[in-house]
């Protein structure tokens, strides 16, 4: 499609290294999009096509957990610059590794806007899959992995930038893949001195290897996630292991490997074919069907077997039970207000667009949706997924659009907008008279002041010190927490929300019926 980088899936806080000498142009800490990310400008480096031609490239490393450099600082090839993470628009910990050329107008470059995606009748993911803006992506970027592979093994003389390229991410299972130090002269000398010693040990090493391969498998070692979400496929890895704990690379079952569930519920393949084994290892997918603890067993015809550890069900794979918004997300999921993403995530830190906020709100009030062939705003379209939500919200006077009659569906919904839409949808009578400034950034004559005053009096939404930040975007966790508080307050009939405020199951059922 039009995804113009390589996504490298790695555990949280994997070390990230600069691929070449350069200057840090950007060290951004943001919660959306690329998340925490770094851009380094590399001058006078070899081009991908021709090592003799020198050019400027911009390498970028996104979705980081920790940024360890500052803008304007000089970095060297192999220097530790960050730790990997899952910030921004990321469903799992990974590095978005990208190299832009000088044709890119900004860095990291992206080949389409949200508005262009909506205009094409696509959401973000489908726009990527469809290749929206692919021509621009090809013009402004190069293949980042091909580049570091091409110049990986050059010397690191500080007088020759053409060779100062190293891999971006640490690979702890193979020391030869680690980025070299800035000066490898001493390392090269040591390597030469040890050549004879290495050669004399070759025969012994081969003997040990043959002994490992000759030993039979005695069990299967099962590798799997510790947590799962019901309905989302999980990958299981089974390795044939000998008595010393080594993988038996020439192992294959006579016919099949048999798989069964010994605790919990899951859809599993009953058998795995011998041809699927590679170097004594095989992988297959299972799909949990129950929220109880899950454990599986694999066994071959010779009774070599192995059992997984107990896997624990979680509501979403990125929502911790200790999170401040856990009760809200749990409540809304149980009552069908939110469903999460296909990969089992909720993405609590992702910001919410104006149309997404309508889906949250209308689901939260269990509203029947209205369909229409024509929408009330010129920048919305009836063919889009959000059309019924926009028409319903408009007809219920939840939204009215902007003064120019547009709705701006892709814009991030801010705190003031969302609060007004939610309270209007809940048909809450808000006193429009405000006698004094609510917060330092909410003057009493602001259009949103009555709604903020109500939220403050009822303890519905968080604030920072003496400010409310009305123009700040709402994240999915913030939206969920606010909807939850309003629902609980309305059902209970209490004067003010508190964390100890409870409602019965029958009251909740009556509300959503």
């Amino acid at each position: 499609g039009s995804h113009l980088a390589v996504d490298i899936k790695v555990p949280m806080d994997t070390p990230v290294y600069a691929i070449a000498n350069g200057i840090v142009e950007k060290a951004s800490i943001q919660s959306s999009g690329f998340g925490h990310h770094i851009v380094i400008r590399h001058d006078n480096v070899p081009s991908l096509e021709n090592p003799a031609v020198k050019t400027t490239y911009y390498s970028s490393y996104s979705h980081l957990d920790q940024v360890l450099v500052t803008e304007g600082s000089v970095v060297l090839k192999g220097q530790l610059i960050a730790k990997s993470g899952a910030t921004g628009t990321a469903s799992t910990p990974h590095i978005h590794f990208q190299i832009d050329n000088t044709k890119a107008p900004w860095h990291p470059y992206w080949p389409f806007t949200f508005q262009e995606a909506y205009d094409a009748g696509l959401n973000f993911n489908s726009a990527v899959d469809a290749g929206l803006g692919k021509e621009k992506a090809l013009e402004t970027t190069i293949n980042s992995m091909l580049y570091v592979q091409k110049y990986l093994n050059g010397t690191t003389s500080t007088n020759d930038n053409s060779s100062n390229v190293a891999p971006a991410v640490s690979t702890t299972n193979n020391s030869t893949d680690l980025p070299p130090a800035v000066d490898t002269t001493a390392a090269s000398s040591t390597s030469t001195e040890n050549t004879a010693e290495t050669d004399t040990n070759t025969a012994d090493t081969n003997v040990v290897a043959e002994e490992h391969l000759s030993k039979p498998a005695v069990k299967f070692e099962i590798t799997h996630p510790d947590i799962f979400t019901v309905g989302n496929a999980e990958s299981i890895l089974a390795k044939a292991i000998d008595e010393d704990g080594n993988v038996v690379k020439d192992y294959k079952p006579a016919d099949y490997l048999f798989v069964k569930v010994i605790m919990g519920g899951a859809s599993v393949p009953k058998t795995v074919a011998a041809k699927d084994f590679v170097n004594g290892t095989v992988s297959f997918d299972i799909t949990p069907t129950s929220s109880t603890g899950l454990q599986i067993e694999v066994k071959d015809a010779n009774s070599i077997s192995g059992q997984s550890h107990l896997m624990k069900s979680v509501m979403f794979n990125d929502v911790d039970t200790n999170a401040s918004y856990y009760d809200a997300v749990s409540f809304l999921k149980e009552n069908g207000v939110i469903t999460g993403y296909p990969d089992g995530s909720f993405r609590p830190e992702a910001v919410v667009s104006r149309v997404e906020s309508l889906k949250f709100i209308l689901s939260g009030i269990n509203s029947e949706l209205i369909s229409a062939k024509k929408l009330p705003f010129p920048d919305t379209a009836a063919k889009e997924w959000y059309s019924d939500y926009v028409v319903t919200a408009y007809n219920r006077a939840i939204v009215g659009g902007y003064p120019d009659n547009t709705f701006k569906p892709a814009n991030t919904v801010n705190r003031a907008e969302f609060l007004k839409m939610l309270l209007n949808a809940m048909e809450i009578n808000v006193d429009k008279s405000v006698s004094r400034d609510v917060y330092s950034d909410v003057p009493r004559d602001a259009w949103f002041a009555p709604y903020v005053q109500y939220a403050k009096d009822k303890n519905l939404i968080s604030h920072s010190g003496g400010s409310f930040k009305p123009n700040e975007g709402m994240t999915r966790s913030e939206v969920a927490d606010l909807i939850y508080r309003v629902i609980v307050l309305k059902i209970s009939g209490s004067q003010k929300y508190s964390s100890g405020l409870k409602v019965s199951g029958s009251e909740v059922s009556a509300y959503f019926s």
Side-chain angles (χ1 to χ4, degrees), residues 97-119:
F97 175 41
Q98 180 171 323
I99 299 181
D100 297 342
N101 59 32
T102 54
K103 293 181 181 179
W106 62 82
H107 315 285
Y109 183 68
W110 193 257
F112 63 82
T113 64
F114 279 105
Q115 187 61 54
E116 288 171 335
Y118 276 113
D119 291 345

Side-chain angles (χ1 to χ4, degrees), residues 82 85 105 143 149 232 309 376 411 429 442 493 505 512:
N143 188 307
Q149 288 164 0
N232 289 284
H309 295 297
N411 280 14
N429 185 24
V442 182
F512 283 105

Side-chain angles (χ1 to χ4, degrees), residues 175-471:
S175 60
T176 60
D177 285 341
L178 289 172
V182 176
D183 184 357
T184 58
T185 306
S188 300
S189 173
T190 303
S191 176
T192 303
E193 292 170 2
N194 291 335
T195 300
E197 181 181 349
T198 303
D199 289 342
T200 60
N201 290 331
T202 301
D204 292 338
T205 302
N206 289 337
V207 170
V208 173
E210 289 172 4
E211 287 177 356
H212 286 165
L213 290 174
S214 66
K215 289 186 177 182
V218 297
K219 66 176 182 178
F220 291 109
E221 181 181 275
I222 312 299
T223 304
H224 56 82
D226 292 328
I227 59 175
F228 67 86
T229 55
V230 174
N232 289 284
E234 301 290 352
S235 182
I236 306 295
L237 189 70
K239 299 179 182 178
I241 303 296
D242 67 16
E243 62 183 15
D244 297 323
N246 300 304
V247 178
V248 182
K249 294 187 177 182
D250 58 353
Y251 170 85
K252 286 184 183 293
D255 294 304
Y256 299 100
L257 185 70
F258 302 94
V259 184
K260 73 173 184 178
V261 177
I262 57 177
M263 183 178 291
S267 173
V268 302
K270 292 183 178 179
T271 59
V272 178
K275 64 179 179 63
D276 294 331
F277 273 80
V278 178
N279 293 327
T281 302
V282 69
S283 64
F284 54 90
D285 287 344
I286 66 171
T287 303
T289 57
S290 169
S291 60
T292 57
L294 176 62
Q295 191 174 20
I296 65 167
E297 180 183 61
V298 297
K299 182 183 293 186
D300 69 6
N302 295 322
S303 297
I304 299 173
S305 64
Q307 294 182 355
S308 71
H309 295 297
L310 189 65
M311 292 174 267
K312 179 183 177 182
S313 172
V314 294
M315 177 177 52
F316 293 111
N317 56 31
D318 57 353
V319 176
D320 191 277
T321 55
N322 294 320
S324 60
Y325 49 82
Y326 178 83
D327 288 344
V329 173
S330 178
F331 176 89
L332 296 182
K333 184 181 182 183
E334 287 175 3
N335 291 286
V337 178
I338 57 176
T339 56
Y341 290 89
D343 62 359
S345 67
F346 178 65
R347 304 181 191 176
E349 298 307 314
V351 291
V352 178
S353 70
R354 283 169 56 79
V355 286
E356 289 172 332
S357 70
L358 292 183
K359 183 176 181 180
F360 271 102
I361 290 170
L362 293 174
S363 298
I365 63 173
N366 198 29
S367 173
E368 290 187 10
L369 298 181
I370 302 170
S371 296
K373 293 182 179 179
K374 186 176 181 181
L375 270 65
F377 307 107
D379 58 345
T380 58
K383 65 179 180 179
E384 297 292 349
W385 67 265
Y386 57 72
S387 60
D388 290 354
Y389 295 100
V390 172
V391 171
T392 303
Y394 182 78
N395 278 271
R396 294 191 59 154
I398 297 171
V399 296
Y402 290 96
D404 61 358
N405 199 36
T406 62
F407 184 70
K408 298 179 175 56
N411 280 14
T412 299
V413 67
N414 66 42
R415 289 161 65 87
E417 290 174 331
F418 185 81
L419 184 58
K420 178 182 178 180
M421 289 191 290
L422 178 61
L423 295 179
N424 283 346
M426 290 286 188
E427 298 179 346
I428 292 174
N429 185 24
V430 176
D431 186 357
K432 297 298 191 297
S433 61
V434 181
S435 59
R436 59 181 180 180
D437 295 349
V438 186
Y439 293 104
S440 60
D441 52 0
V442 182
R444 64 178 183 274
D445 56 350
W447 66 264
F448 49 85
Y451 304 97
V452 178
Q453 179 69 67
Y454 181 89
K456 181 180 182 181
D457 291 343
K458 301 297 183 181
N459 189 33
L460 294 178
I461 195 167
S462 62
H463 59 88
S464 178
S467 63
F468 177 71
K469 300 180 179 178
N471 295 317

